[in-house]
Amino acid sequence: MAHEPPRLTISKLQRMKRSGDKIAMLTAYDYTMAAILDAAGVDVLLVGDSLAMVVQGHETTLPVSVRDMVYHAEMVVRGSQRALVVVDLPFPHGQLGPRRTIQVAARMMKRSGCQAVKLEGGAQQAATIAALVDAGIPVIAHVGLRPQSIHALGGYRVQRDEEKLQADALAAQQAGAFCVLMECVPAPLAAQITKQLDVPTIGIGAGNACDGQVLVTHDLLGMTLGKRPRFARAFADVGRQIETAAKNYIAAVRTGEFPSTAEAFE
Ligand code: KIV
């Protein structure tokens, strides 16, 4: 029986932190993109609830359902071979207390085949994180700007409450989270927390001292509709290329230039 190459493990991520090898994480929501990003060598693929915004067109991450998350996670697992696949617990399923959160997280893992879940919160979520970990479900804790709490936080802005951020990150580690993701945190504070923690930190808008970075792949590719956040560097201009390709196709169809005889059958 042919064995698939093993996926990156949580212990490998811990070793990367110790050796100073940076962790590269990107979001993915479908088979083809997962396969391309996996082949490029990305370490962690996140089926983020950002899919509510960039795939489904909602204003916030709140509307996406467990069923939607599983649907997309299945495709990402099928498309990837090497990366660790992590799936977001969608609102409000990470906040329903240990028992109900375990039920949802276990269902998501069983149906999609993902290897871990991500949940928003730190100190307040410590009991839930501990219960998930006890149940054999690896957890990434997402602290700082928590998009599922956007209405409570009052907007997408940098989180500067140093005491709270430190308490959240430490509580998440103590509860057993294998990684702490920090969103929109001042770089010096993220650096300090990264030093304090034994588990790896992943930053988004948190400076370059974190143990790794994550971006929403639509931002990475230059496919952001509307205002791109300051931290979301576009590494390509795929949005414009798609538009140009579509315009060229439309013109070729309208003039009859496409398909050519070489693209047709005798
Ligand atoms: O849902 C998502 O894509 C995320 C990233 C912004 C980290 O949580």
Side-chain angles (χ1 to χ4, degrees), residues 25 27 29 46-51 61 88 118 120 142 147 181 183 204 214-216:
M25 176 172 177
T27 63
Y29 316 106
L46 171 66
V47 185
D49 59 0
S50 50
L51 78 83
T61 60
D88 261 335
K118 176 163 80 60
E120 293 189 6
H142 182 151
L181 187 149
E183 178 165 356
I204 177 162
V214 60
L215 277 181
V216 170

Side-chain angles (χ1 to χ4, degrees), residues 202-225:
I202 303 281
I204 177 162
N208 69 6
C210 295
D211 299 306
Q213 298 292 326
V214 60
L215 277 181
V216 170
T217 294
H218 286 60
D219 292 334
L220 167 100
L221 295 177
M223 293 173 65
T224 311
L225 301 179

